[in-house]
Amino acid sequence: MSHLHIGYIDGARFKEAFIAGGTWVIHNRDRLNRINVFPVADKDTGTNLQITFLRTIQKIRDVEERSLGEMVKAIARELIVEARGNSGVIFSQFFSSLAAALEQHRKIHAPEFVEALKHAIHRTYEGLESPKEGTILTVIRESVEQTIQQHAHERDVFYLLKRLHEHAQRTLEKTKEMLPQLRKAQVVDAGGMAYVLFLQGVLKLLREGRHVVETLLEKIHDVQETEEVFFDETPNFRFCTEAVLRTYSKKINRQRIMEALRSFGDSLVVVGQEDTYHIHIHTDTPNQVYQALGVFGEIVRKKVQDMIAQSQGIQKKAVTVAMDSTCDLPVRLREELGILIVPQQIVLKDRILKDRIDIQPEEVLSRLVRGEEVKTSQATPEDIRRVYEKALEKADHVLMLVVSSKLSGTYLNCMNVAQLFEGRVTVFDTLSISLGITLQALEALDLAEQGLPPEEIVEILKKKRDRALLYFYLPTLKYLMQGGRIGRVQGRIGMFLKLRLLMALEEGAIVKKETAFSEGRIIQKLKKRLLQEIPKDQPYDFAVAWNTDGHVLKELEPFIRENFTVRRFLTGTITPVISVHTGPHAWGVFASPVVSPR
């Protein structure tokens, strides 16, 4: 067989290599989970790396970029956001450092590539508070150093990768004796193994072709939950805490973030590129960590794992959240967070349909435009009970967030069913609707992950709810009037004048705020109100929802991001049950303050 020779690496080749390496790591997930005993024996290194690589691959797969520097930068940017677990964060740190070394290169040859690897591992060590030898760090560093010492002038990239893999494999075997936990379990470091597998995947691509990688990737579907585990030792700190931070200013750097966090725990890793940083730390006070990070910018993703609970084999959550279908929770978030939804009902002439299950927004709007009679009804007690039971399989307590009690009898209905569960279900009146409910739910989930009990979560949600703003636009009062949400006299006058309206929810009830003869004028009045009512320097969560088209998003999102401090920004479509009462071409804007748990 002829010797494969590769003279250079460019962006396209690097992307293929990354996909191949990441795919091979994913393929060996269970193997990595089995040997994971350091820093905590939670048996989830494989699962964390599966999430890290799979989501990054999905995002960069269609990127067309010939420049090596730009491609590595794009990969590193996605890794920073998607990294999970200690090894995932270290991988993202390594690729971020490699991106800095290759920034000015459209393509490079073998000797330059090895020098870039040397620069990357040096910067990776700098990004860690307390680098631990005997881990993935040692395997990467020693494999690079030995490759440079013995093959510094080699011009064949394929040959260099083979030598890099051989040195990494030898160093990996040494980790078995470098850490007490590994020596006791007689296993190598799981993160180091992942690095070796990554290199194997790249070599597999070069030897067998991309069709092998594509075949493997096609077999990979949803990420499975980590299996139940038991630790031999109790971790030093209780919570494995992660965050993705988008900074308010480019003056904020990795060193400032590390200085702010180092007193909170150990295993601190801060990975960053431009204005985005991924933080990993083991701590007893995740809430204080998030408060410290909040000074620097918007936390766009949080993750907290109770390592002591894991060490006792406990997989059940303390608190979970459920909602009714008026929450307009985007499908992506619903799947990612596993939130259960109680469906409200749509009543047609001849049948009753479950909201967003049996009928979708487009069909409801079409029926309304044709003048058909469409009504709504509350969720059935049986559907509510079923959601409570399913939620309690995952958690000890359910926090049920429902549409405003002044708009629907859902709150009372959910309260009645909750009595069957002897204090294990708390029903919370959000005094809101649509994405206003979802913003409260995401806050509740964040607080639950930080270990707060249901009663404390409810108290914080009350503060958030009472200061929230909700405005919605209606091109006509016809449908509110038909649904009995406003009086017939008021509705007929508005319809006669062909007024466009800006409505609000105040203490959970509908209130008219502005009228105009055009939607554009309503938008201008809304902007003025938001500028008057929202402090520019206080972080807020925002959301925009619509039911016909999202044209208003192009107008409002730039305005909101430019004028306010945005922690979270959601978008979504309005559910059929709400559309029955708004009619077509309706949209809403939601603003909710970030409330400190203190």
Side-chain angles (χ1 to χ4, degrees), residues 146-429:
Q146 290 167 16
T147 301
I148 290 174
Q149 289 172 7
Q150 300 177 29
H151 314 286
H153 301 294
E154 176 60 49
R155 306 200 65 80
D156 181 357
V157 175
F158 179 62
Y159 179 86
L160 271 180
L161 287 171
K162 288 197 297 182
R163 302 290 84 81
L164 193 65
H165 173 254
E166 290 170 2
H167 292 310
Q169 185 68 59
R170 282 195 287 269
T171 304
L172 178 65
E173 288 301 317
K174 289 162 50 179
T175 63
K176 194 182 295 184
E177 302 300 325
M178 296 180 73
L179 290 168
Q181 296 94 325
L182 302 181
R183 189 182 308 115
K184 181 179 179 181
Q186 276 301 287
V187 295
V188 297
D189 178 65
M193 169 71 83
Y195 169 68
V196 171
L197 289 168
F198 185 90
L199 294 175
Q200 284 179 5
V202 177
L203 292 173
K204 195 174 186 69
L205 165 73
L206 299 177
R207 288 171 175 147
E208 302 176 36
R210 64 167 65 99
H211 69 280
V212 176
V213 176
E214 291 295 333
T215 300
L216 288 173
L217 203 51
E218 287 173 2
K219 295 178 181 178
I220 299 166
H221 299 291
D222 294 333
V223 178
Q224 300 298 312
E225 293 295 324
T226 306
E227 61 196 62
E228 184 173 296
V229 298
F230 296 88
F231 296 131
D232 293 325
E233 299 175 6
T234 302
N236 293 330
F237 293 91
R238 179 161 193 149
F239 298 102
C240 177
T241 303
E242 294 184 48
V244 176
L245 174 73
R246 289 209 174 97
T247 59
Y248 296 139
S249 168
K250 291 189 176 181
K251 293 180 181 179
I252 297 168
N253 56 31
R254 185 170 57 193
Q255 192 59 39
R256 284 184 63 185
I257 297 171
M258 291 180 71
E259 288 174 359
L261 298 183
R262 61 167 49 101
S263 63
F264 290 114
D266 63 14
S267 298
L268 175 61
V269 185
V270 178
V271 181
Q273 187 185 86
E274 296 177 343
D275 64 345
T276 303
Y277 290 86
H278 192 119
I279 296 94
H280 171 282
I281 186 172
H282 291 172
T283 180
D284 287 330
T285 55
N287 187 51
Q288 291 182 25
V289 169
Y290 290 137
Q291 286 179 14
L293 289 174
V295 174
F296 298 122
E298 175 189 359
I299 301 174
V300 297
R301 185 168 67 77
K302 298 177 181 179
K303 178 186 175 186
V304 178
Q305 286 182 314
D306 187 334
M307 296 185 291
I308 291 179
Q310 284 181 313
S311 72
Q312 298 166 351
I314 300 170
Q315 296 299 306
K316 210 172 185 181
K317 294 180 181 179
V319 181
T320 192
V321 170
M323 295 184 281
D324 73 271
S325 62
T326 62
C327 66
D328 290 336
L329 179 68
V331 173
R332 177 186 61 82
L333 279 177
R334 180 175 178 174
E335 293 175 349
E336 181 180 325
L337 300 174
I339 295 178
L340 296 172
I341 304 294
V342 174
Q344 304 278 11
Q345 298 186 109
I346 296 287
V347 182
L348 303 180
K349 188 175 182 179
D350 57 346
R351 55 204 164 118
I352 299 175
L353 304 173
K354 291 183 179 180
D355 191 28
R356 278 205 197 266
I357 297 175
D358 302 323
I359 190 167
Q360 299 304 316
E362 297 79 11
E363 182 179 348
V364 164
L365 292 171
S366 178
R367 287 177 178 273
L368 291 172
V369 170
R370 293 197 300 266
E372 295 182 23
E373 184 178 64
V374 184
K375 295 184 177 181
T376 62
S377 181
Q378 296 173 35
T380 67
E382 178 60 25
D383 282 339
I384 297 169
R385 183 189 62 78
R386 189 178 295 114
V387 164
Y388 288 171
E389 288 177 344
K390 194 169 182 180
L392 287 169
E393 292 175 2
K394 304 190 301 179
D396 295 324
H397 196 96
V398 178
L399 187 56
M400 178 70 190
L401 275 64
V402 298
V403 61
S404 172
S405 61
K406 297 182 181 179
L407 300 178
S408 168
T410 301
Y411 173 73
L412 182 59
N413 205 355
C414 288
M415 286 286 288
N416 289 337
V417 178
Q419 294 178 30
L420 302 174
F421 293 86
E422 299 178 340
R424 299 181 66 198
V425 177
T426 298
V427 183
F428 182 71
D429 185 356

Side-chain angles (χ1 to χ4, degrees), residues 572-585:
T573 55
I574 296 173
T575 199
V577 162
I578 300 176
S579 291
V580 169
H581 301 290
T582 65
H585 305 290

Side-chain angles (χ1 to χ4, degrees), residues 484-500:
R485 264 56 185 181
I486 62 168
R488 288 190 172 274
V489 174
Q490 181 183 3
R492 285 173 176 161
I493 292 173
M495 289 169 61
F496 175 76
L497 295 174
K498 296 183 178 180
L499 291 174
R500 273 62 171 170

